[in-house]
Amino acid sequence: MLQRIRVVLVNTSHPGNIGGAARAMKNMGLSRLVLVDPQDFPSAEAVARASGASDILDAAQVVATLEEALAGCSMVFGTSARERRIPWPLLDPRESASASIAQLQAGGEVALVFGREYAGLTNEELQRCHFHVHIPSDPEFSSLNLATAVQVLTYEVRMAWLAAEGLPTKLAKVETTAMLNAQPVTMDELEHFYGQLEATLIEIGFLDPLKPRHLMPRLRRLYGRCGISKLEMNILRGILTETQKTARGEPHKRREP
Ligand code: SAH
């Protein structure tokens, strides 16, 4: 689906920015780059800045006019760092991303258009776009680097796409830990723990089995109050195991916390 979004760079002067834009696109799963009358392309600097995304540069389409770049597009977003005199439907990057995904879902083709480093897009070029997109930067210093602006818009496109596809936005590893952390311990795991806790407290001389007082019921009440997760239980069991080794004079195995 994302291959139906094209990034259009108009009359770019620095090839490094073309490379940076290609990298930003590839990071976010976009592949189609169209260059309108670039001042210096192909170029070694673009390849260097693309750092591994040079396949996007190789496949980039170079055209002479914006009109050619937009052929076949059903929705065009023009980005601008400044307010323009003629009022135009204005979106922020997040809104433009959800409109883009809706357009793709309807079978359309989308273009995200970016302007020149020094002068942006002309009014005429902006008037070819259905919407204007402004990244809400500080008005005192509103202009982002071209490749950075591409990154912001393509990131929002990716977030909207992941949501539309029902795909996770977090790495699987983080999720596994989070799940383990959220899973409560079972009664039998808790009983094992109390058994090891009691044995340890006896071994280190804290609990006298002949005069236990009410230590174990009090500790059960304490641990029972805090809703221990499986992950936390593993930590507590680990602490007890190492404590027992110390009490027995056994060597410790270094472990990750
Ligand atoms: N001096 C130019 C700035 C161009 S920055 C001007 O005043 O228009 C190069 C390109 O990066 C812009 O044409 C636009 O495509 C994008 N860009 C930079 N900052 C942006 C912002 N705050 N919102 C949207 N696009 C931005």
Side-chain angles (χ1 to χ4, degrees):
M1 183 153 96
L2 294 181
Q3 70 274 14
R4 278 187 285 121
I5 299 191
R6 67 188 81 169
V7 168
V8 179
L9 305 184
V10 177
N11 202 202
T12 312
S13 42
H14 296 300
N17 281 333
I18 299 177
R23 181 179 186 176
M25 289 170 62
K26 189 164 176 166
N27 282 144
M28 297 300 123
L30 273 70
S31 53
R32 188 154 176 215
L33 178 62
V34 184
L35 306 171
V36 179
D37 188 24
Q39 290 183 22
D40 183 4
F41 187 83
S43 116
E45 200 184 337
V47 174
R49 277 283 300 279
S51 116
S54 51
D55 53 329
I56 294 196
L57 297 178
D58 295 340
Q61 196 185 340
V62 179
V63 295
T65 63
L66 180 58
E67 198 180 344
E68 288 170 74
L70 299 181
C73 273
S74 49
M75 191 171 275
V76 180
F77 298 89
T79 55
S80 173
R82 291 172 288 142
E83 258 201 57
R84 304 291 168 142
R85 254 175 255 125
I86 311 138
W88 215 260
L90 186 67
L91 302 176
D92 67 30
R94 200 154 295 172
E95 293 167 333
S96 74
S98 48
S100 298
I101 297 301
Q103 185 63 207
L104 296 179
Q105 284 169 333
E109 296 242 352
V110 170
L112 309 176
V113 185
F114 296 83
R116 298 156 188 84
E117 289 92 333
Y118 298 107
L121 293 167
T122 64
N123 286 333
E124 202 201 358
E125 286 161 345
L126 278 165
Q127 284 157 22
R128 286 187 180 270
C129 304
H130 296 96
F131 296 96
H132 290 175
V133 183
H134 175 70
I135 299 164
S137 46
D138 189 326
E140 301 293 319
F141 192 65
S142 65
S143 173
L144 280 78
N145 164 264
L146 174 58
T148 309
V150 171
Q151 185 73 81
V152 172
L153 263 83
T154 53
Y155 166 74
E156 290 293 346
V157 163
R158 182 159 192 86
M159 288 297 279
W161 176 75
L162 289 171
E165 297 285 310
L167 294 168
T169 53
K170 297 184 185 87
L171 292 176
K173 190 177 166 214
V174 175
E175 286 226 314
T176 318
T177 317
M179 269 164 55
L180 199 61
N181 206 17
Q183 260 181 324
V185 280
T186 57
M187 288 311 289
D188 47 306
E189 286 166 334
L190 211 50
E191 279 312 316
H192 259 101
F193 166 67
Y194 289 138
Q196 191 184 1
L197 180 63
E198 188 169 14
T200 308
L201 294 176
I202 292 170
E203 277 185 59
I204 64 172
F206 190 82
L207 172 63
D208 180 354
L210 302 175
K211 267 189 276 168
R213 305 184 189 269
H214 298 294
L215 185 62
M216 285 317 293
R218 281 180 175 140
L219 287 174
R220 277 174 180 268
R221 194 174 57 194
L222 165 65
Y223 286 112
R225 251 199 328 263
C226 45
I228 300 172
S229 70
K230 282 199 193 300
L231 191 83
E232 291 161 342
M233 177 54 63
N234 286 346
I235 296 170
L236 291 173
R237 297 286 304 256
I239 293 171
L240 291 181
T241 302
E242 297 308 311
T243 307
Q244 287 175 312
K245 280 185 192 163
T246 304
R248 294 168 196 167
E250 291 170 5
H252 290 273
K253 196 171 69 189
R254 269 258 156 253
R255 35 188 286 147
E256 291 295 316

